[in-house]
Amino acid sequence: MEDSLRKEDPLELAARYLRQRRELGEEELYLSPGLFDSIEKSPQEKSELLKELYDSSRDCTKCGLHEGKTNYVFGTGSASSLVMFIGEAPGREEDLQGEPFVGRAGKLLNRILVAIGLKREEVYIGNILKCRPPENRDPLPEEIEACLPHLYQQIDIIKPRVIVALGRVAAQTLLKTNLPMSKLRGRFYDFNGYPFLVTYHTAALLRNPQFKKPTWEDMKILRRYYDKITGENFKFYDEE
Ligand code: URA
C-alpha cells in the first residue's frame, strides 16, 4: 500500500507533530482547534460503538446479580459527553426503569446539574454495577470485578474530558484506594489519563445534609473545569 494511503497511527501522528514543533524551536504548543479531528471518533461512531457494547453486554451472566434483575442498567446520556458521572449501582427505581439515577438520588442529581448549568442529556451517567444488588447492599468485590470491564469500555468509547465519581464505591473502586470520602473528595486525580473528581453520592446527601456544602464546592470545581474546556463562563447563582 502507498505510504500516503496508510491510515495514520494517532500516536505516531502526535509524536511527529510534537517533534516537528520542537525542531522548529517552539517552546510553547499551539494546538489548532481541528488538530484532534482526524484522531477522535465522531459522535455518530461513538454512539454506534456504545450501542454495540450495550447489545453485547446486556445479557451478561458473569455474576449472580443478573438472576434478580428486572433491567440491565447500562448508562444514559450522549456518547460524546464531555462529562461522565459514575455512581454505584442501580436501586429499585433504576432496576424498574432501566436507567441510572432516576429515583430520589437521581432527582437530586438532576437539580445539581441544573445548578451548574448542565443538562442531563449532555452528560453521561453510569454506574460501577449494571444490575441491582439485592436490598441495595454494597457491591461485592467479585461483582465489581465482573462488571468493571463494561464501564471501562464505556469510558474508552466516550472518552469524556472529565469524570466525576459519585460516592465512596465509585471513588474507591476506580482509584483503587481505601481512603475515606472526607479525604478523597474535592480534588482532581488522574484516572488512566482522565481528570477525575470525587464528590459525595447524592443518596448520601439525602441522608446527611451536612455534605451539601462540600458537594456544592465540588460542583463548582467541576463547572470551572468545564468552563476551561469549553471557553464558557458560567455564573453561579450564589456568586452573582
Ligand atoms: N445510586 C447509584 O449509585 N446509581 C443509581 O443509578 C441510582 C442510585
Side-chain angles (χ1 to χ4, degrees):
M1 192 191 283
E2 292 241 354
D3 238 20
S4 57
L5 295 178
R6 192 168 63 92
K7 193 153 175 18
E8 292 275 8
D9 177 324
L11 283 179
E12 270 179 34
L13 200 65
R16 186 165 356 115
Y17 173 81
L18 293 172
R19 194 177 317 109
Q20 184 201 45
R21 303 318 302 178
R22 196 189 53 203
E23 282 166 9
L24 288 170
E26 248 176 55
E27 300 280 309
E28 289 181 24
L29 274 183
Y30 170 68
L31 302 175
S32 72
L35 176 66
F36 300 110
D37 290 356
S38 61
I39 300 172
E40 289 173 352
K41 298 212 163 31
S42 70
Q44 194 190 335
E45 280 175 298
K46 287 185 175 190
S47 113
E48 284 165 10
L49 285 169
L50 217 46
K51 170 82 173 53
E52 278 169 29
L53 178 61
Y54 171 72
D55 288 338
S56 64
S57 63
R58 60 185 293 184
D59 295 321
C60 174
T61 56
K62 285 201 214 126
C63 80
L65 293 180
H66 73 280
E67 286 166 16
K69 75 170 196 278
T70 314
N71 279 296
Y72 179 73
V73 184
F74 181 65
T76 188
S78 160
S80 11
S81 296
L82 300 181
V83 186
M84 181 167 182
F85 288 89
I86 302 176
E88 179 176 326
R92 193 167 68 96
E93 275 309 310
E94 290 76 22
D95 174 59
L96 290 175
Q97 297 186 38
E99 181 170 331
F101 284 91
V102 287
R104 277 185 73 217
K107 299 223 157 55
L108 181 52
L109 178 60
N110 292 346
R111 294 218 303 278
I112 291 174
L113 290 174
V114 170
I116 56 169
L118 297 178
K119 295 198 178 72
R120 185 172 162 106
E121 321 78 76
E122 67 190 5
V123 303
Y124 195 87
I125 305 173
N127 278 314
I128 296 289
L129 293 190
K130 308 221 174 327
C131 296
R132 183 191 182 201
E135 310 304 325
N136 299 344
R137 64 152 167 73
D138 280 0
L140 302 175
E142 59 269 29
E143 293 162 353
I144 293 179
E145 197 188 327
C147 210
L148 219 43
H150 301 149
L151 178 66
Y152 286 157
Q153 288 174 72
Q154 281 172 300
I155 295 171
D156 200 40
I157 292 168
I158 298 166
K159 295 196 176 14
R161 299 287 295 279
V162 53
I163 296 177
V164 183
L166 294 171
R168 179 183 57 83
V169 170
Q172 291 185 342
T173 300
L174 296 172
L175 293 176
K176 298 189 173 59
T177 176
N178 286 323
L179 283 172
M181 280 300 288
S182 56
K183 292 252 167 10
L184 289 171
R185 62 148 287 268
R187 49 162 289 213
F188 280 108
Y189 299 81
D190 178 279
F191 169 72
N192 296 346
Y194 293 96
F196 185 94
L197 181 67
V198 175
T199 195
Y200 289 107
H201 195 293
T202 45
L205 298 187
L206 291 169
R207 291 190 302 266
N208 306 283
Q210 75 273 21
F211 292 160
K212 284 188 180 166
K213 192 162 172 281
T215 303
W216 181 232
E217 286 164 14
D218 301 342
M219 292 300 96
K220 284 181 161 178
I221 294 174
L222 170 65
R223 179 65 217 206
R224 284 292 162 252
Y225 189 76
Y226 183 88
D227 283 347
K228 217 162 83 180
I229 297 168
T230 59
E232 294 174 16
N233 185 15
F234 182 75
K235 295 269 174 285
F236 297 109
Y237 73 90
D238 59 351
E239 283 181 7
E240 279 172 327

